[in-house]
Each structure stands twice: as C-alpha cells, then as structure tokens.
Amino acid sequence: MTQSLIPEGNRWKRRDVLRTLFFTAGAVGSATWLTGCGGSGSDGAVPPVVAGDTPETGDLPETVEKLVGRFADIGPLRAPDVHAVRTPEGFATRVVAINGELPQPQGMAVSGPQTGGIGNRPWHIFPDGAGVVARDNGGWIYISNSEVPGVGSIGFTYPELAGLTNIVEEFTPGLAQVGTLVFDPDGTIVDSYTILSGTTFNCAGCVTPWKTWLSCEEFPNGQVWECDPFQPGEGLARPTLGFFSHEAIAIDPGERLLYLTEDMPDGRFYRWVPDPSDWPEGSERAALQSGRLQVLAVGGDGVEAALDSPQPIEWLDVQNPHEPQHENRLPESTVFDGGEGVWFFNGIVYFATKGDDRIWAVDTLAQTIEVIYDRATAVAPNDTLSGVDNLFVTDQGDILVAEDGGDMQVVVILPDRTLKPLLQIVGQDISEIAGIAFSPDGRRMYFTSDRGGRDGFGGFTNGLGMVYELILPEGL
C-alpha cells in the first residue's frame, strides 16, 4: 500500500484503498456477551458515563468514580505470542479459523494448514463484523461476515458512478457471505456452515434479541439481510431498513428501535421505527417488514459543539426511503464522516466515525448527542486510539474499540474515559481488527484480522483473513 493511493485531505483508510486495488486487479469480473457489532445491552449493567453527568469543573461525580470497568486493572501488553498477538499478563490466544482452510476442532495449528477439518466449506475471505448466539447445550455459534467488494462497491469509491453500478449490482451475484463456527461448551469447534451468500461487501451488523443475525451490505444501494444462525441458509433482505452503505446496527429492545450507521464521507446516522403491527408491544421480535426510517439532525449550537457539551437532537423521516439515501439527503440532517460500529447500552447509543476518529454518545432519554472521544483533542496517555471501527460494550461499561489500521489494537475506553490497550496484532499492517464478540460466559473473546494469514514459515502476516480467540484469565 502506498500513501499516494489515499486522497489528500481524506482520512479513508486501508479498507478503501483495498477497494481500489480489488477493482484495478480485475477481481470484479470473477465471480449482552451474546451480541456483537451493535448489541442490545444487558440487564443489571452499570450506567454508562456521558459528559452530561459531569459538573462544569470536569470532575467526575462520586458515583462515576466508583465505576471501574471489567478491564480497569489489566497490565501492559507483553511481547507478541506465537500467534503474533500482544496481550496483558494472564491472557492467551488461539487461532480458530484461517481463510481457505477448514476449521479444526481444537483450533488452527501454528505450523501450517491441516488436512480434514470441520464443515464442508473453507473459511471465507475477509472476515469482518461478527456476533455470538448461545446454543441450548451450553455452547455457542460465532457468526462472521465476509467483506468482499462487488460491482456496487465501485459506487462507494466513486459516488458519481453509483447510479450505474447500483443497477449492475442488482443483476450481478455478490461474492460475500456469512459463515459460522459452532462451538461446544468446552470450546471445541464442531461445525461450520454458510447462512448467507450472494451479497456484496458485508461489513458489520448485529445479533437480534430473538437470536437472528442482521448482516449489512456496505455500498450505496446496500441492504440489511436477516439470517438464521442455527442452520445453513440464504437469508432474507429487509428493505424497510433502507438502501445505503450500511455499516452496523444496534437494537434498543425496550423502546423497539434500531439504530444504523452509514459508512460514507457524507454519511448520516439513522434509526428505524417499526409500525405498531410490525413489532407489537409485548412481542419478542420485529417482523422487520414495515416501519419508518429516520435520520438524525443535531440542533443547539451544532455538531461541533458536541465536543464540549451535549447538544439536542431530533429525528426526521427520510426522503424516499426505498431509494438510495445518498441521492435523497435531507439538507437539515447532520453529516457524520464515515459511520462505523454502533452499540446500545443502558439508554445510550455509542457509535464511531472513522473520518474524524471520534466516538459519539446519543442519550436516548434526554435526546442529546456528545463526543466522548476525539483523537484530535485527546491528550496523552489517552490518545492511543486511532482508526476507530467496530465497537463492543461490556456489561460493566467498558467500550471496546477495534482499530482499522492505527496500531492494530483493541483499545478499551473505561467508564471514567481513560484508555487501556487490550491487545495488539503485529506484522499485519494492511489489515484491520473487527468481529469482537464474547462467548456466553464471557471467558472467550473473538476478533478478526480481516487481512491476516499465514506467512509460510510457521508465523502470521498479511493475508486473506483469520479469526482469533482471546482467553481471559480466571477472575477477570
């Protein structure tokens, strides 16, 4: 990768460069702990910290000072292990899937590819957003998107061509998919299968409260697809959730609302309000067939004032919800530069924007928005986070942020807003970290290096994608 491929003054990172490389290489012509990439919170969790809770002096109130987060006491990162991952003392890793290889019951050996394996499909290319659902036997299923570009992705890189490429995309089967790893209670992998195929550039999504997977297509006419993680299948498109470069989704089950990010330089932040018949009060799930798509507008002193204090917001019904939203912008709606991960937790919707390296917090009760992390104004040692991407919020209020580029770290924003690195992948500099999800008991954390792979010498380097498991120490 050369820096000259990135437009001057534009903070689009490795992923966007790879889109360009993919097409110039001619590839288009070839064919709670249970949640991930936009969770729905958990009962009994500690309240999140937002700037509106702090007095004007900037001191944290006593109740906030007592919130320490699950990862507050982890130590510094050690030297890389055999899997090229730096972790704090007491943590361990294993590799559970590598592109082109069949998953193995006990994980992937360091020495090289193995014969045989689980399932009837090698692990997919470019694993990205992910989630976990529990199985009835105490095991779990890890669900993983495949972020393969398609014809429609050309319209992302070159918006002036989106009108044409959106049409071609409708008649061109995509190369992306969604795959699974099925685990027994002891962590043994027992199966692997596909639950969605024929789509394009599936980035993130979320596990729903009713245990399906919503997979987001990230191109200007992209849709959201609902998948059953418990059996092989093809998924169902949910056009009511809009047509745009979908990145991720978070669900507020109490208020029956979905929140959605858009990964475009002039992207917006959306919510979906179901019709009463689509998600009746007391019903365990939404049908996801009819509702209103709305877009966020920041009022008060404007979006930049959210750096200093919460600003009021309002929600506007979008124009022409069944058409690509980049062609139907409401001028009064607010621009968010490259929407990434999003997560609902205890009344707060957190989301990331990569264009300006910010983490935002929307208070759904007060109807305000503020910035809780801004790379440009962060002061050492709390300035280690860059390339913000996927998000995961623990039930103790830790915000885990995966880096797209940056230092290839997962960084924890603790409830008091201090930062701590949780892990770092080395030797895979054109990759990104994504796919954070936990086993139901919280003892194992999964994450991807979506452009990582074997180096042919018993180690790991840049490649076509792999999935790691982080084993947490006892007592954490």
Side-chain angles (χ1 to χ4, degrees), residues 71 340-342 350-354 357-360 372-373 384-394 398-405 407-414 418-423 433-436 438 445 447:
F71 297 104
E340 291 287 345
V342 60
Y350 299 97
F351 69 97
T353 49
K354 68 182 179 185
D357 266 333
R358 290 176 177 174
I359 307 294
W360 305 77
I372 64 168
Y373 176 79
T384 59
L385 175 59
S386 62
V388 300
D389 201 290
N390 280 190
L391 297 183
F392 187 106
V393 181
T394 75
D398 316 81
I399 305 171
L400 278 58
V401 186
E403 291 187 336
D404 176 357
D407 297 321
M408 282 293 289
Q409 297 185 110
V410 172
V411 177
V412 181
I413 303 177
L414 295 170
T418 59
L419 272 58
K420 279 200 171 186
L422 176 60
L423 62 87
I433 298 179
I436 298 176
F438 283 80
M445 187 188 95
F447 61 100

Side-chain angles (χ1 to χ4, degrees), residues 295-336:
V295 63
L296 183 71
V298 178
D301 294 324
V303 67
E304 288 304 313
L307 283 164
D308 301 314
S309 62
Q311 299 299 310
I313 61 173
E314 63 177 323
W315 296 94
L316 311 172
D317 289 347
V318 303
Q319 292 187 124
N320 303 318
H322 297 294
E323 296 180 4
Q325 284 304 297
H326 75 285
E327 299 174 350
N328 290 273
R329 302 294 194 199
L330 288 174
E332 59 268 44
S333 62
T334 299
V335 174
F336 292 96

Side-chain angles (χ1 to χ4, degrees), residues 445-461:
M445 187 188 95
Y446 299 93
F447 61 100
T448 72
S449 174
D450 78 341
R451 269 75 174 176
R454 297 190 187 275
D455 65 4
F457 302 97
F460 300 93
T461 185

Side-chain angles (χ1 to χ4, degrees), residues 414-445:
L414 295 170
D416 66 359
R417 296 200 195 174
T418 59
L419 272 58
K420 279 200 171 186
L422 176 60
L423 62 87
Q424 181 180 29
I425 300 175
V426 300
Q428 300 172 32
D429 293 339
I430 69 166
S431 188
E432 68 172 287
I433 298 179
I436 298 176
F438 283 80
S439 60
D441 62 3
R443 307 314 313 165
R444 303 166 189 256
M445 187 188 95

